[in-house]
Amino acid sequence: MVYRITAARLDRDQALRERILECALARVAEGGFAALTMQGLAEDVGIATGSLYRHFRNKGELAAEVFARASQREVDALSAVLRGPGTPEARLAAGLRQFAARAWHSRRLAFALIAEPVDPEVDEQRLLYREAYAELFGDLLEEGVRSGAFQAPLLGVSSACLVGAIAEALVGPLSPPARAAREEGHSQPDLAAVSQALVTFCLRALGARLPEDPTP
Amino acid sequence: MVYRITAARLDRDQALRERILECALARVAEGGFAALTMQGLAEDVGIATGSLYRHFRNKGELAAEVFARASQREVDALSAVLRGPGTPEARLAAGLRQFAARAWHSRRLAFALIAEPVDPEVDEQRLLYREAYAELFGDLLEEGVRSGAFQAPLLGVSSACLVGAIAEALVGPLSPPARAAREEGHSQPDLAAVSQALVTFCLRALGARLPEDPTP
């Protein structure tokens, strides 16, 4: 008798893989990649640890896929704003504010995505996604330079600068030590202040008119 | 008989450790952290692989120390310019140009330090050194804001933005694919163009007067 993988079996496999990834993402959102252990994850999903390895060769591969899934959501959210209606500078400001707010409201996840020390497989994904962000900004800058809203001597450099500035501006306030300090009541800048500082930095960097800038 | 570690023995150990680190740095400068294998390194140094482990518990620890040593040189070089003579904006521009030039002239090493996917121990050092850079910029920004040369709503955010912008602006041009493209004769921006774009981005971001800016 020939053994056949039935369509139903494939569907079940796919559904389980999906559930594993969602549980893994929940773990990372809660405690960072440090909390993503194969044993703990198997318990969350309710399967044997060995079964996890039928879906993911090792923790690095799983972590990389969780990273890609979470990052793609951020890229999509940013893309929707940057490619939406409005002037280039208004869309850039709105995109930065949204990016900062999303990171702020999922701090542990955002820190995990941006900066948590983790397997090289995730570092590789980080490089790819930073390129994706740079492309998004690059498209907007190109449009803005054409319309005169922005001045950017080299689009590639300016796009990369934006990606780096955004990531780095949020790493500090999102980092576990900063969160611990906040919880202990030490004063830390709030989202509105960080977000405004980031928007000001980036719009100025591109030679764009600031909405609140009093100079003509 | 009591066994004593003599001073001469300690000196020899220290000298060997130093030689190991210098050979390791040479390997990373040549082929990135990917080229830093314990076996290859032991051959370079001319010792048994096992002897390496008397000095470094594992590759991650060794890589982290190589990273810290190379990064400290960059921090020191930048610090010398940022804390040197001149107006805050001139020092910032000179520091950025020097940082870009040093990276450009040691591309493989710079990419390894900034972005190469590598052990989590190195990622941890990256976070520490990015803080060190942010502190350097923070001191300069504080001075510049006081003197009216810069406008920065939140010093911490602006400093972090500078660190991120610089790192990210160089990752692309320094990356192995970009170098391969250059070697194949595809046109890529040169150091002068990248450096100028970076300086323009950062000075504008801080509301500083650009030397070449024609507007009053």
Side-chain angles (χ1 to χ4, degrees):
Chain A
M1 192 181 117
V2 177
Y3 180 75
R4 288 175 190 281
I5 300 177
T6 62
R9 161 81 188 280
L10 279 177
D11 282 352
R12 275 201 311 276
D13 270 9
Q14 188 55 39
L16 178 56
R17 193 171 195 284
E18 193 60 27
R19 202 158 107 249
I20 293 170
L21 281 170
E22 281 306 315
C23 287
L25 184 51
R27 279 204 155 241
V28 175
E30 178 74 25
F33 283 107
L36 186 60
T37 63
M38 295 302 252
Q39 201 186 335
L41 176 60
E43 281 168 23
D44 289 357
V45 181
I47 59 176
T49 308
S51 305
L52 274 184
Y53 290 95
R54 283 205 306 116
H55 295 270
F56 301 94
R57 258 180 308 174
N58 51 46
K59 211 203 99 185
E61 184 179 305
L62 171 67
E65 194 150 339
V66 170
F67 176 93
R69 171 169 290 221
S71 297
Q72 190 59 49
R73 289 182 189 170
E74 297 311 312
V75 167
D76 291 344
L78 182 62
S79 171
V81 177
L82 295 189
R83 294 179 172 161
T87 63
E89 59 271 37
R91 276 142 59 199
L92 179 58
L96 297 176
R97 284 185 208 284
Q98 176 187 265
F99 186 87
R102 289 175 64 95
W104 204 265
H105 295 128
S106 307
R107 283 173 201 181
R108 195 65 194 80
L109 178 61
F111 184 75
L113 296 181
I114 296 173
E116 183 181 345
V118 68
D119 312 80
E121 289 94 328
V122 172
D123 278 343
E124 272 165 38
Q125 290 291 318
R126 279 189 180 133
L127 283 176
L128 291 176
Y129 271 92
R130 291 167 93 107
E131 267 180 50
Y133 282 115
E135 270 186 43
L136 270 185
F137 286 124
D139 290 347
L140 182 71
L141 293 198
E142 200 178 336
E143 185 191 332
V145 165
R146 259 203 321 270
S147 78
F150 299 143
Q151 299 162 47
L154 279 180
L155 286 184
V157 171
S158 299
S159 309
C161 283
L162 287 178
V163 175
I166 291 161
E168 201 69 22
L170 291 170
V171 166
L174 296 174
S175 68
R179 284 181 299 128
R182 261 192 303 275
E183 277 153 26
E184 285 167 22
H186 293 288
S187 105
Q188 293 269 336
D190 61 9
L191 170 60
V194 169
S195 190
Q196 182 56 42
L198 180 62
V199 168
T200 302
F201 185 95
C202 293
L203 285 184
R204 273 209 194 111
L206 298 170
R209 185 76 55 83
L210 297 183
E212 72 281 43
D213 195 339
T215 59
Chain B
M1 190 180 116
V2 177
Y3 180 74
R4 289 175 189 280
I5 300 178
T6 63
R9 161 80 189 281
L10 279 177
D11 282 353
R12 276 201 310 276
D13 270 8
Q14 188 54 40
L16 178 55
R17 195 171 194 283
E18 192 61 26
R19 201 157 108 249
I20 293 169
L21 281 170
E22 281 306 315
C23 287
L25 184 52
R27 279 204 157 239
V28 175
E30 177 74 25
F33 284 106
L36 186 59
T37 63
M38 294 302 252
Q39 200 185 337
L41 176 59
E43 281 169 23
D44 289 358
V45 181
I47 58 176
T49 308
S51 305
L52 275 184
Y53 289 96
R54 284 205 305 117
H55 295 269
F56 301 94
R57 260 180 308 175
N58 51 47
K59 211 203 98 184
E61 184 179 304
L62 171 68
E65 194 150 340
V66 170
F67 176 92
R69 172 169 290 221
S71 297
Q72 190 60 48
R73 288 181 189 171
E74 297 311 312
V75 167
D76 291 344
L78 183 61
S79 171
V81 177
L82 296 189
R83 294 180 172 162
T87 64
E89 60 271 37
R91 274 142 62 199
L92 179 58
L96 297 175
R97 284 185 208 283
Q98 176 188 265
F99 186 87
R102 289 175 63 94
W104 204 264
H105 294 127
S106 306
R107 283 172 201 182
R108 195 64 194 81
L109 178 61
F111 183 75
L113 296 181
I114 295 174
E116 184 182 345
V118 68
D119 312 80
E121 288 95 328
V122 172
D123 278 343
E124 272 164 38
Q125 290 291 319
R126 279 189 180 132
L127 282 176
L128 291 176
Y129 271 92
R130 291 167 94 107
E131 269 180 49
Y133 282 115
E135 271 185 40
L136 271 185
F137 285 124
D139 289 347
L140 183 71
L141 294 197
E142 201 179 336
E143 184 191 333
V145 165
R146 258 203 322 270
S147 78
F150 298 143
Q151 299 161 46
L154 279 180
L155 288 184
V157 171
S158 299
S159 310
C161 283
L162 287 178
V163 176
I166 292 161
E168 201 69 22
L170 292 170
V171 166
L174 296 174
S175 69
R179 283 181 300 127
R182 262 192 304 274
E183 277 153 26
E184 284 166 23
H186 294 287
S187 105
Q188 294 269 336
D190 61 9
L191 169 60
V194 169
S195 189
Q196 182 57 41
L198 180 62
V199 168
T200 301
F201 186 95
C202 293
L203 285 184
R204 274 209 193 111
L206 298 170
R209 184 74 57 80
L210 296 182
E212 72 281 40
D213 195 338
T215 59

